Amino acid sequence: MTDPAFEAAYQAARESLSQGGIPIGAALARGGEVIAVGHNERVQHGDPIAHGEMSALRAAGRQRSYRDTVLYTTLAPCAMCTGTIIQFKIPHVVVGEAQTFAGEFELLRSRGVVVEVLDDGRCVDMMRQFQQEHPQLWAEDIAE
């Protein structure tokens, strides 16, 4: 059975793709309940820091604490999103896949963040296809 919070992140990634954006989605959950969902909006809003994780946190609004939350994301977090996870002391990150982008797991784990990788085939396939069809846009997103 798929976790509803991860499913929300996956559906958000599909939504971004349908809008012509980068297919990365994220969801923030507390106590098993989804409190916010977001997706990469760099293309849609011309915002260079609107990654999926940032979008979900923005949608969550101000929180007194993130120490009891879990962040779900369809792709391994980049350095910027990793820094935000560390800054807000999010203790647990569930990642759809890290085959198409390795992310910053070592840094997250060095700061005590529990990182769980699902190796979700849907996420791998969606990102591989996107990277093949839009290599320049992907390179822009990861600042290459």
Side-chain angles (χ1 to χ4, degrees):
M1 182 167 138
T2 303
D3 185 307
F6 179 73
E7 236 0 84
Y10 174 73
Q11 291 305 322
R14 291 183 50 81
E15 175 66 20
S16 184
L17 185 61
S18 77
Q19 295 173 1
I22 298 163
I24 302 169
L28 188 66
R30 176 179 283 124
E33 298 289 322
V34 175
I35 59 172
V37 178
H39 59 74
N40 189 300
E41 299 173 309
R42 291 185 76 252
V43 173
Q44 296 92 321
H45 296 292
D47 181 347
I49 62 170
H51 283 197
E53 297 89 339
M54 302 300 228
S55 176
L57 290 169
R58 187 176 291 123
R62 292 176 56 195
Q63 300 290 311
R64 182 174 173 90
S65 173
Y66 297 86
R67 294 173 192 229
D68 60 346
T69 63
V70 178
L71 182 65
Y72 295 79
T73 181
T74 57
L75 186 65
C78 70
M80 177 179 65
C81 295
T82 291
T84 302
I85 291 163
I86 292 168
Q87 175 68 29
F88 290 112
K89 297 176 177 56
I90 296 170
H92 188 175
V93 177
V94 178
V95 177
E97 67 102 351
Q99 293 178 37
T100 64
F101 181 71
E104 297 289 337
F105 292 159
E106 185 176 321
L107 179 55
L108 285 168
R109 289 178 174 134
S110 78
R111 298 300 290 267
V113 177
V114 174
V115 178
E116 182 181 346
V117 181
L118 302 177
D119 288 322
D120 186 278
R122 301 170 303 165
C123 292
V124 174
D125 293 344
M126 182 169 47
M127 187 52 71
R128 273 204 181 120
Q129 183 173 352
F130 177 81
Q131 289 169 337
Q132 289 170 357
E133 293 176 3
H134 306 282
Q136 287 86 9
L137 188 54
W138 173 243
E140 177 188 319
D141 193 61
I142 58 172
E144 294 220 351

